[in-house]
Short mmCIF file of all heavy atoms in Angstrom, two decimals:
data_model
loop_
_atom_site.label_atom_id
_atom_site.label_comp_id
_atom_site.label_asym_id
_atom_site.label_seq_id
_atom_site.Cartn_x
_atom_site.Cartn_y
_atom_site.Cartn_z
N THR A 1 -157.70 14.94 46.18
CA THR A 1 -158.88 14.16 46.30
C THR A 1 -160.13 15.06 46.72
O THR A 1 -161.26 14.74 46.42
CB THR A 1 -158.76 13.01 47.34
OG1 THR A 1 -158.34 13.57 48.55
CG2 THR A 1 -157.70 12.03 46.79
N ALA A 2 -159.86 16.14 47.45
CA ALA A 2 -160.93 17.03 47.90
C ALA A 2 -160.32 18.37 48.25
O ALA A 2 -159.12 18.42 48.68
CB ALA A 2 -161.67 16.40 49.08
N PRO A 3 -161.07 19.47 48.21
CA PRO A 3 -160.59 20.77 48.65
C PRO A 3 -160.14 20.71 50.13
O PRO A 3 -160.83 20.14 50.98
CB PRO A 3 -161.75 21.69 48.45
CG PRO A 3 -162.60 21.04 47.45
CD PRO A 3 -162.43 19.54 47.67
N VAL A 4 -158.98 21.30 50.42
CA VAL A 4 -158.46 21.34 51.77
C VAL A 4 -158.55 22.82 52.26
O VAL A 4 -158.07 23.73 51.62
CB VAL A 4 -156.97 20.86 51.82
CG1 VAL A 4 -156.40 21.12 53.16
CG2 VAL A 4 -156.79 19.48 51.32
N GLN A 5 -159.22 22.93 53.42
CA GLN A 5 -159.36 24.31 53.97
C GLN A 5 -158.16 24.67 54.82
O GLN A 5 -157.68 23.86 55.53
CB GLN A 5 -160.63 24.36 54.81
CG GLN A 5 -160.94 25.80 55.33
CD GLN A 5 -162.30 25.93 55.97
OE1 GLN A 5 -162.59 25.11 56.84
NE2 GLN A 5 -163.10 26.88 55.49
N VAL A 6 -157.60 25.84 54.56
CA VAL A 6 -156.44 26.32 55.25
C VAL A 6 -156.75 27.63 55.95
O VAL A 6 -157.71 28.27 55.69
CB VAL A 6 -155.24 26.59 54.26
CG1 VAL A 6 -154.83 25.21 53.59
CG2 VAL A 6 -155.61 27.55 53.14
N ASP A 7 -155.86 28.07 56.81
CA ASP A 7 -156.07 29.31 57.54
C ASP A 7 -155.79 30.48 56.57
O ASP A 7 -155.28 30.35 55.49
CB ASP A 7 -155.33 29.40 58.80
CG ASP A 7 -153.78 29.61 58.62
OD1 ASP A 7 -153.38 29.88 57.56
OD2 ASP A 7 -153.09 29.51 59.67
N ALA A 8 -156.20 31.68 57.07
CA ALA A 8 -156.07 32.88 56.23
C ALA A 8 -154.68 33.17 55.84
O ALA A 8 -154.45 33.68 54.72
CB ALA A 8 -156.70 34.08 56.95
N GLU A 9 -153.74 32.93 56.74
CA GLU A 9 -152.37 33.27 56.47
C GLU A 9 -151.79 32.43 55.30
O GLU A 9 -151.15 32.94 54.35
CB GLU A 9 -151.49 33.13 57.68
CG GLU A 9 -150.23 33.90 57.76
CD GLU A 9 -149.70 34.04 59.19
OE1 GLU A 9 -149.89 33.09 59.98
OE2 GLU A 9 -149.14 35.11 59.48
N LEU A 10 -152.01 31.08 55.33
CA LEU A 10 -151.51 30.21 54.34
C LEU A 10 -152.29 30.47 53.01
O LEU A 10 -151.69 30.50 51.96
CB LEU A 10 -151.67 28.81 54.73
CG LEU A 10 -151.10 27.71 53.74
CD1 LEU A 10 -149.70 27.97 53.31
CD2 LEU A 10 -151.34 26.32 54.31
N TYR A 11 -153.58 30.73 53.09
CA TYR A 11 -154.31 30.99 51.85
C TYR A 11 -153.84 32.25 51.16
O TYR A 11 -153.67 32.30 49.94
CB TYR A 11 -155.81 31.16 52.16
CG TYR A 11 -156.63 31.24 50.94
CD1 TYR A 11 -157.05 30.07 50.23
CD2 TYR A 11 -157.01 32.46 50.39
CE1 TYR A 11 -157.78 30.18 49.11
CE2 TYR A 11 -157.74 32.55 49.24
CZ TYR A 11 -158.15 31.38 48.58
OH TYR A 11 -158.86 31.47 47.42
N ALA A 12 -153.59 33.27 51.92
CA ALA A 12 -153.10 34.54 51.39
C ALA A 12 -151.75 34.39 50.66
O ALA A 12 -151.51 34.92 49.59
CB ALA A 12 -152.98 35.64 52.45
N PHE A 13 -150.89 33.56 51.29
CA PHE A 13 -149.61 33.22 50.70
C PHE A 13 -149.75 32.51 49.32
O PHE A 13 -149.11 32.85 48.30
CB PHE A 13 -148.82 32.38 51.67
CG PHE A 13 -147.53 31.78 51.05
CD1 PHE A 13 -146.49 32.56 50.64
CD2 PHE A 13 -147.43 30.40 50.90
CE1 PHE A 13 -145.34 32.02 50.09
CE2 PHE A 13 -146.31 29.89 50.35
CZ PHE A 13 -145.25 30.64 49.91
N LEU A 14 -150.56 31.47 49.30
CA LEU A 14 -150.79 30.74 48.05
C LEU A 14 -151.39 31.61 46.96
O LEU A 14 -151.00 31.53 45.79
CB LEU A 14 -151.71 29.54 48.36
CG LEU A 14 -151.08 28.48 49.23
CD1 LEU A 14 -152.08 27.25 49.47
CD2 LEU A 14 -149.83 27.87 48.62
N ARG A 15 -152.40 32.50 47.36
CA ARG A 15 -152.91 33.38 46.40
C ARG A 15 -151.86 34.33 45.83
O ARG A 15 -151.82 34.65 44.64
CB ARG A 15 -154.07 34.25 47.06
CG ARG A 15 -154.67 35.32 46.23
CD ARG A 15 -155.29 34.74 44.96
NE ARG A 15 -156.55 34.06 45.10
CZ ARG A 15 -157.18 33.36 44.14
NH1 ARG A 15 -156.55 33.30 42.90
NH2 ARG A 15 -158.29 32.73 44.33
N TRP A 16 -150.93 34.80 46.73
CA TRP A 16 -149.80 35.74 46.34
C TRP A 16 -148.91 35.00 45.37
O TRP A 16 -148.46 35.55 44.36
CB TRP A 16 -149.10 36.16 47.56
CG TRP A 16 -147.89 37.01 47.30
CD1 TRP A 16 -147.82 38.37 47.12
CD2 TRP A 16 -146.50 36.53 47.22
NE1 TRP A 16 -146.56 38.78 46.95
CE2 TRP A 16 -145.71 37.69 46.97
CE3 TRP A 16 -145.95 35.32 47.31
CZ2 TRP A 16 -144.36 37.62 46.88
CZ3 TRP A 16 -144.55 35.19 47.27
CH2 TRP A 16 -143.76 36.35 46.99
N CYS A 17 -148.62 33.72 45.66
CA CYS A 17 -147.74 32.90 44.75
C CYS A 17 -148.27 32.80 43.40
O CYS A 17 -147.52 32.91 42.40
CB CYS A 17 -147.48 31.58 45.36
SG CYS A 17 -146.50 31.51 46.85
N LYS A 18 -149.57 32.50 43.30
CA LYS A 18 -150.21 32.29 42.03
C LYS A 18 -150.42 33.59 41.25
O LYS A 18 -150.13 33.71 40.04
CB LYS A 18 -151.51 31.54 42.20
CG LYS A 18 -152.23 31.26 40.88
CD LYS A 18 -153.50 30.46 41.11
CE LYS A 18 -154.20 30.09 39.80
NZ LYS A 18 -155.44 29.30 40.00
N ASP A 19 -150.87 34.67 41.91
CA ASP A 19 -151.32 35.88 41.24
C ASP A 19 -150.16 36.94 41.12
O ASP A 19 -150.27 37.76 40.25
CB ASP A 19 -152.50 36.47 41.99
CG ASP A 19 -153.72 35.60 41.96
OD1 ASP A 19 -153.72 34.63 41.20
OD2 ASP A 19 -154.67 35.92 42.64
N THR A 20 -149.13 36.84 41.98
CA THR A 20 -148.09 37.88 41.96
C THR A 20 -146.77 37.26 41.54
O THR A 20 -146.13 37.73 40.65
CB THR A 20 -148.01 38.51 43.35
OG1 THR A 20 -149.26 39.12 43.68
CG2 THR A 20 -146.98 39.63 43.34
N ALA A 21 -146.25 36.32 42.38
CA ALA A 21 -144.90 35.77 42.06
C ALA A 21 -144.75 35.07 40.77
O ALA A 21 -143.81 35.28 40.00
CB ALA A 21 -144.50 34.86 43.26
N TYR A 22 -145.77 34.33 40.37
CA TYR A 22 -145.73 33.61 39.06
C TYR A 22 -145.66 34.55 37.92
O TYR A 22 -144.71 34.40 37.06
CB TYR A 22 -146.94 32.64 38.99
CG TYR A 22 -146.97 31.80 37.74
CD1 TYR A 22 -146.31 30.61 37.67
CD2 TYR A 22 -147.72 32.18 36.66
CE1 TYR A 22 -146.36 29.83 36.53
CE2 TYR A 22 -147.82 31.46 35.51
CZ TYR A 22 -147.10 30.23 35.41
OH TYR A 22 -147.18 29.52 34.29
N PRO A 23 -146.56 35.47 37.78
CA PRO A 23 -146.41 36.40 36.56
C PRO A 23 -145.23 37.29 36.65
O PRO A 23 -144.61 37.62 35.58
CB PRO A 23 -147.77 37.20 36.63
CG PRO A 23 -148.22 37.10 37.99
CD PRO A 23 -147.83 35.76 38.47
N ALA A 24 -144.74 37.67 37.82
CA ALA A 24 -143.62 38.57 37.99
C ALA A 24 -142.34 37.95 37.40
O ALA A 24 -141.37 38.69 37.03
CB ALA A 24 -143.37 38.97 39.45
N THR A 25 -142.32 36.60 37.42
CA THR A 25 -141.12 35.86 36.94
C THR A 25 -141.39 35.15 35.58
O THR A 25 -140.65 34.25 35.23
CB THR A 25 -140.67 34.81 37.97
OG1 THR A 25 -141.75 33.88 38.17
CG2 THR A 25 -140.32 35.47 39.30
N ASP A 26 -142.47 35.51 34.93
CA ASP A 26 -142.80 34.96 33.63
C ASP A 26 -143.01 33.40 33.83
O ASP A 26 -142.62 32.63 32.88
CB ASP A 26 -141.77 35.29 32.61
CG ASP A 26 -142.28 35.11 31.20
OD1 ASP A 26 -143.49 35.22 30.97
OD2 ASP A 26 -141.46 34.92 30.29
N GLY A 27 -143.47 32.94 34.90
CA GLY A 27 -143.70 31.56 35.19
C GLY A 27 -142.51 30.74 35.59
O GLY A 27 -142.61 29.57 35.87
N ALA A 28 -141.32 31.39 35.70
CA ALA A 28 -140.14 30.72 36.09
C ALA A 28 -140.19 30.23 37.55
O ALA A 28 -139.50 29.24 37.97
CB ALA A 28 -138.85 31.52 35.79
N THR A 29 -140.83 31.01 38.38
CA THR A 29 -141.02 30.61 39.82
C THR A 29 -142.47 30.12 39.92
O THR A 29 -143.38 30.97 39.92
CB THR A 29 -140.79 31.79 40.78
OG1 THR A 29 -139.38 32.21 40.57
CG2 THR A 29 -141.01 31.44 42.21
N ASN A 30 -142.55 28.81 40.03
CA ASN A 30 -143.92 28.21 39.97
C ASN A 30 -144.04 27.20 41.06
O ASN A 30 -143.37 26.17 41.03
CB ASN A 30 -144.02 27.47 38.54
CG ASN A 30 -145.34 26.80 38.40
OD1 ASN A 30 -146.21 26.75 39.23
ND2 ASN A 30 -145.53 26.09 37.26
N ILE A 31 -144.86 27.49 42.06
CA ILE A 31 -145.00 26.64 43.20
C ILE A 31 -145.70 25.32 42.83
O ILE A 31 -145.69 24.40 43.63
CB ILE A 31 -145.72 27.28 44.37
CG1 ILE A 31 -147.11 27.64 44.00
CG2 ILE A 31 -145.00 28.57 44.83
CD1 ILE A 31 -148.03 28.05 45.23
#
């Protein structure tokens, strides 16, 4: 419904999941 602000630690993790883990597994690991 609206953007949710998170702390730096959780944000860095989500960015890593999208930009690193997802392409490294050809999309098979998709949060």
Side-chain angles (χ1 to χ4, degrees):
T1 56
V4 175
Q5 190 169 49
V6 298
D7 71 10
E9 204 161 32
L10 181 54
Y11 188 84
F13 169 66
L14 294 176
R15 175 60 74 188
W16 176 86
C17 289
K18 182 176 181 179
D19 295 350
T20 302
Y22 181 86
T25 61
D26 200 26
T29 299
N30 179 2
I31 65 168

